[in-house]
Amino acid sequence: QVQLVESGGGLVQAGGSLRLSCAASGRIFSIYAKGWFRQAPGKEREFVAAINWRGDSTYYADSVKGRFAISRDNAKNTVSLQMDNLKPEDTAVYYCAAARTLGSDYFRRDEYDYWGQGTQVTVSS
């Protein structure tokens, strides 16, 4: 069983930065692909970013490309999301997810096997 716990959310002004972290338990977590999704009020959960288990392939939603960066530290069982130049439309609950395998459908929620509880990110204008 893999458990994921997100941290680092909060309130920030537009143009500011936040760094989200996701800590995982489970000894084989390091070989799982990781992703970040977000869900704004009244909207469906959407893909934000993903990284393969080696950390040498990353994927981003067009809406965050160039502003967000996903990274991982397998030795520490963590995955991070650096968010820069935040916009009010980035306001959402952000979820960390893990997938046993990750192919071309990395943006689909049903590709992921484990989910965290989420952390709130609020960007004020």
Side-chain angles (χ1 to χ4, degrees):
Q1 187 73 11
V2 174
Q3 292 184 329
L4 307 173
V5 178
E6 303 94 337
S7 62
L11 173 64
V12 65
Q13 289 188 332
S17 299
L18 280 175
R19 185 176 181 86
L20 304 183
S21 293
C22 175
S25 62
R27 64 185 179 91
I28 61 173
F29 182 74
S30 61
I31 65 171
Y32 280 46
K34 313 297 192 314
W36 287 94
F37 286 73
R38 65 187 182 187
Q39 187 167 18
K43 295 187 177 181
E44 292 191 355
R45 192 172 299 189
E46 65 175 8
F47 169 75
V48 175
I51 187 168
N52 68 346
W53 74 270
R54 289 187 299 270
D56 56 4
S57 291
T58 56
Y59 311 91
Y60 296 95
D62 288 342
S63 59
V64 306
K65 204 170 291 184
R67 301 187 297 122
F68 290 12
I70 188 172
S71 61
R72 64 187 297 162
D73 185 335
N74 287 342
K76 296 181 179 179
N77 271 354
T78 59
V79 60
S80 299
L81 185 68
Q82 177 66 38
M83 305 186 295
D84 297 322
N85 191 21
L86 283 160
K87 303 176 181 180
E89 51 263 44
D90 294 319
T91 295
V93 177
Y94 283 70
Y95 297 90
C96 174
R100 295 184 184 89
T101 60
L102 197 65
S104 57
D105 288 338
Y106 56 84
F107 54 90
R108 293 174 57 91
R109 287 174 292 173
D110 57 8
E111 289 292 293
Y112 294 82
D113 305 289
Y114 302 99
W115 292 85
Q117 293 300 307
T119 184
Q120 176 70 47
V121 171
T122 303
V123 184
S124 63
S125 57

